[in-house]
Amino acid sequence: MQGCELSTRLRYRLTLASGMLECLCFAGVVFGFASLMFVLKEDGYFSYLCATVPGTNGTLTITDCSGQDEQFSLVFTIASFLNNFLSLVNGYLFDRFGTLVTRLMAICLYTTGTLLVAFSSAALSELLFPALSCIAVGGILLLLTNMQVGNLFAAHRSTVITLYNGAFDSSAAVFLLIKVLHEQGVSLRSSFLVLSSCSIIHLLRTLLLMPRTHIPYPLPQYYTYGFRSCVLSWFFLWHVMWLSIMQLRHYLFIGTLNPMLNRLADNDPNLVSQYTNAFAMTQLCGVLCAPWNGLIMDRYKGKPLAPGETEQEVDLRSSSLSLFLTSLQCLLFSVCASVPFLPMQYLTFMLQVLNRSFLYGGNAAFISIAFPACHFGKLYGLVMSLSAVISLLQYPSFALVKGALGGDPFFLDIALTLVTLLAFIHPVYVFIYCRKVARHRKDNT
């Protein structure tokens, strides 16, 4: 009996560790697009959109590559949109067919995407559209199937979920590695063929260390309302707004990072490369930042409950602080990103990775706390899909900066910073709700 228990614990830990590596090395690589974009530009992707225009004195000429930047922005916009929007379908797929089917689809999409990049070229630049989209959707599916691993560690469930989401954020640094290798002479094709070959690892893990259906988790006591009432609740509606606002801010920052750095660095390629590397390096810190959010949400675990208090009430009370801190981080990040001073961007990069780590981990953890576990996949998918619709605003925003704002995003950054203030509604609502529940329980006793 003891040997069986030890074997089970070992499998749990192997599942946890292998899932961590999977998220860290593969799941969210698409968000390192700023580094990949640097390589793609050097290899001439979409270079036909660059135009040579005469200088002011009639003799010098300058190269205008704003069309190329816009096309790269569109590639990332579509990929990031599908990353979230298809999560609705992915969530239903996961809930209906289970882990095995979902992961097989993720592996197929991810492998297809990496192979498309491997066999693309400057003459076939348009392959980047389906390639990055497949990588994005396949990656989020891998994350979705891994988050249930938190159910194996009940006392640290939120910590595991946030840790995986932090690893998802940190995986953006994989494209930095590809950029560094490219500078050392390793071709883009070779790097992506290696990523494609790693699919065998995902397949083995699917067959050996993951369940066919789902990892179960008991529902909270007295928590019986169905799926429809979840969607129509204020918890759900405020949560969608909370995620959508901050996600849009991050997507706009990542999608416009390269032109922003070029503008602030006066088109100095060495300086732009230095800051691009710094941004990508900070993404590695996501895995270090995310567990702090989980610790905040798990801080009441194992402590005695008040008379009549449920575990869900305790978890919700913890989540209100997490939601507030995430909103505050996004506000500070947005303020720093609005300052047109190049050295300030180092601080912006640190705040950005900290906030992204808290944002996606907190999103998944809150859904697992506030709603029944049997609806987690559907609700997670719906939240991500609705937020994806809002994220489509990044492309017209990019066009606005390029056109009416003359390439200077300052006023757009100010507007986004003000909109970020709306994200504080969610943690305030959760806090007030918890206070009302506690007061009601006290009055009844």
Side-chain angles (χ1 to χ4, degrees):
M1 236 3 224
Q2 187 176 2
C4 182
E5 183 179 352
L6 289 175
S7 175
T8 300
R9 288 181 180 177
L10 177 61
R11 174 169 289 195
Y12 286 176
R13 290 169 183 170
L14 285 175
T15 301
L16 175 67
S18 59
M20 178 70 179
L21 288 174
E22 189 171 75
C23 291
L24 184 61
C25 299
F26 304 97
V29 295
V30 72
F31 295 104
F33 185 70
S35 297
L36 182 64
M37 183 176 169
F38 202 89
V39 175
L40 295 171
K41 280 188 171 183
E42 286 190 348
D43 285 358
Y45 284 72
F46 299 120
S47 58
Y48 62 87
L49 295 174
C50 292
T52 302
V53 296
T56 55
N57 59 10
T59 58
L60 298 176
T61 59
I62 59 175
T63 302
D64 178 17
C65 288
S66 59
Q68 183 189 35
D69 289 336
E70 185 174 359
Q71 199 73 350
F72 280 124
S73 177
L74 182 59
V75 170
F76 179 74
T77 297
I78 293 174
S80 58
F81 167 74
L82 292 176
N83 173 78
N84 290 344
F85 185 75
L86 290 183
S87 291
L88 175 59
V89 178
N90 297 340
Y92 274 100
L93 176 72
F94 179 57
D95 284 346
R96 176 66 180 83
F97 296 103
T99 304
L100 179 63
V101 172
T102 307
R103 286 184 60 84
L104 289 177
M105 175 173 284
I107 294 168
C108 288
L109 285 170
Y110 200 92
T111 306
T112 299
T114 51
L115 287 175
L116 284 173
V117 176
F119 292 103
S120 66
S121 63
L124 298 172
S125 301
E126 284 72 19
L127 285 179
L128 292 178
F129 285 99
L132 269 294
S133 296
C134 286
I135 292 173
V137 177
I140 196 69
L141 276 172
L142 291 176
L143 174 64
L144 177 62
T145 58
N146 276 313
M147 285 190 292
Q148 62 178 322
V149 174
N151 295 351
L152 299 175
F153 306 90
H156 304 287
R157 188 172 180 233
S158 294
T159 301
V160 172
I161 291 174
T162 55
L163 183 64
Y164 274 5
N165 278 269
F168 174 85
D169 292 336
S170 293
S171 64
V174 170
F175 281 169
L176 168 63
L177 177 60
I178 291 176
K179 175 180 178 291
V180 172
L181 291 174
H182 188 267
E183 292 170 347
Q184 301 301 315
V186 179
S187 68
L188 188 68
R189 174 170 296 182
S190 298
S191 295
F192 273 87
L193 284 176
V194 171
L195 284 179
S196 298
S197 66
C198 288
S199 294
I200 188 66
I201 299 175
H202 306 317
L203 183 60
L204 290 174
R205 183 168 182 272
T206 300
L207 298 176
L208 300 177
L209 290 175
M210 296 295 286
R212 288 190 59 187
T213 54
H214 303 90
I215 298 174
Y217 188 78
L219 296 180
Q221 193 177 14
Y222 310 126
Y223 205 76
T224 58
Y225 58 86
F227 177 52
R228 181 177 178 181
S229 58
C230 295
V231 174
L232 297 179
S233 68
W234 283 111
F235 272 173
F236 184 83
L237 297 176
W238 289 131
H239 190 67
V240 169
M241 185 191 73
W242 177 83
L243 176 65
S244 299
I245 290 172
M246 289 187 280
Q247 179 173 261
L248 176 62
R249 187 66 187 99
H250 283 275
Y251 281 3
L252 274 170
F253 180 75
I254 296 173
T256 60
L257 178 62
N258 190 265
M260 182 266 285
L261 291 177
N262 274 294
R263 186 180 67 258
L264 296 181
D266 294 325
N267 294 307
D268 182 341
N270 292 327
L271 201 54
V272 172
S273 178
Q274 174 187 328
Y275 275 83
T276 301
N277 289 350
F279 172 72
M281 287 296 293
T282 58
Q283 304 307 298
L284 284 170
C285 298
V287 69
L288 302 177
C289 300
W292 291 103
N293 194 19
L295 292 173
I296 290 172
M297 302 186 80
D298 284 335
R299 68 187 189 277
Y300 290 121
K301 294 288 189 182
K303 295 183 179 180
L305 300 178
E309 186 179 42
T310 65
E311 188 174 342
Q312 189 212 9
E313 292 175 35
V314 174
D315 289 340
L316 279 175
R317 193 165 72 246
S318 298
S319 70
S320 64
L321 177 59
S322 169
L323 296 171
F324 175 81
L325 289 176
T326 306
S327 304
L328 180 61
Q329 291 164 5
C330 188
L331 179 62
L332 295 175
F333 152 64
S334 187
V335 169
C336 290
S338 304
V339 178
F341 181 56
L342 190 58
M344 174 69 79
Q345 301 315 307
Y346 286 122
L347 177 59
T348 304
F349 296 162
M350 290 186 285
L351 288 171
Q352 189 268 345
V353 71
L354 175 66
N355 187 229
R356 264 182 61 86
S357 299
F358 270 61
L359 178 62
Y360 290 107
N363 167 50
F366 179 80
I367 293 173
S368 72
I369 289 170
F371 305 105
C374 60
H375 296 312
F376 175 80
K378 293 185 284 290
L379 291 174
Y380 179 83
L382 184 58
V383 167
M384 297 299 282
S385 296
L386 293 174
S387 67
V389 175
I390 303 300
S391 74
L392 287 176
L393 292 174
Q394 62 184 299
Y395 189 68
S397 298
F398 185 84
L400 175 65
V401 171
K402 180 186 174 185
L405 297 180
D408 187 354
F410 179 74
F411 290 106
L412 177 64
D413 288 336
I414 295 299
L416 288 170
T417 301
L418 294 175
V419 171
T420 300
L421 294 172
L422 296 176
F424 287 93
I425 295 176
H426 187 32
V428 170
Y429 179 81
V430 174
F431 177 77
I432 293 174
Y433 172 85
C434 292
R435 290 286 295 271
K436 286 182 178 179
V437 170
R439 190 180 302 116
H440 178 71
R441 185 178 62 251
K442 184 178 180 180
D443 293 340
N444 288 340
T445 56

